[in-house]
Amino acid sequence: LDALLTTWLTAALACFIRAQLAREDRVLNRRWMLGCWVFMALAVLTKGLIGVLIPAVTLILYSLLQRDHRMYDCLNLRWGLPAFTLIAAPWFVAAARQNPAFLEFFFIREHIERYLTPIEQRMQPWWFFIAVLFVGILPWAWRAARALAQDWQGRVPAGRFDVVRLLWVWSVFVLVFFSASDSKLVPYV
């Protein structure tokens, strides 16, 4: 499921980037944003709230860093939220009807307790994912670190969309978010 979650989140991210690059073309922007909403719904169906949390927090952090608030005008909430709800909600409603304890188990135990407590016995040190990432991107680890330092200086003026900065914010947020968890598995990053 982790690979499928990664697929849906990557597709949502790609659609979001395409939508932001098409800000001036309202029709194209709306289509790409609708795709983003659809893929986020599929991510939620695959692994739960993380399918919305990663994109939402990335968007907020990026907009604060880049001072790019125009992207909020291009989210296509009018069609995106209903599409998201039509895709994701029926399964949760059906599961809750079939098993009244489902919602508490799924949202409390599988999200909050799994993240905040050692309930799954998958404890690792806070730096675990840094090591996993470093080994996973060998032999390019040093180049990635150098690119982060260079790209973070910002080539795109504040208030304008910067794809590279958005991708770095996404990557760093995922690393920090999962590093803070008490449940760590290698595929999480």
Side-chain angles (χ1 to χ4, degrees), residues 33-103:
M33 274 311 302
L34 188 58
C36 179
W37 286 101
V38 167
F39 288 121
M40 284 193 307
L42 294 172
V44 167
L45 286 174
T46 303
K47 287 288 271 194
L49 295 177
I50 198 79
V52 172
L53 180 82
I54 290 173
V57 173
T58 298
L59 174 68
I60 292 166
L61 292 174
Y62 168 81
S63 69
L64 292 172
L65 283 169
Q66 188 65 18
R67 294 187 298 274
D68 180 6
H69 305 291
R70 277 191 61 213
M71 71 176 57
Y72 292 109
D73 297 333
C74 302
L75 293 181
N76 193 13
L77 296 172
R78 179 180 177 197
W79 296 104
L81 279 175
F84 178 92
T85 304
L86 285 171
I87 293 167
W91 187 85
F92 288 102
V93 170
R97 282 187 177 166
Q98 187 69 26
N99 181 358
F102 167 75
L103 293 177

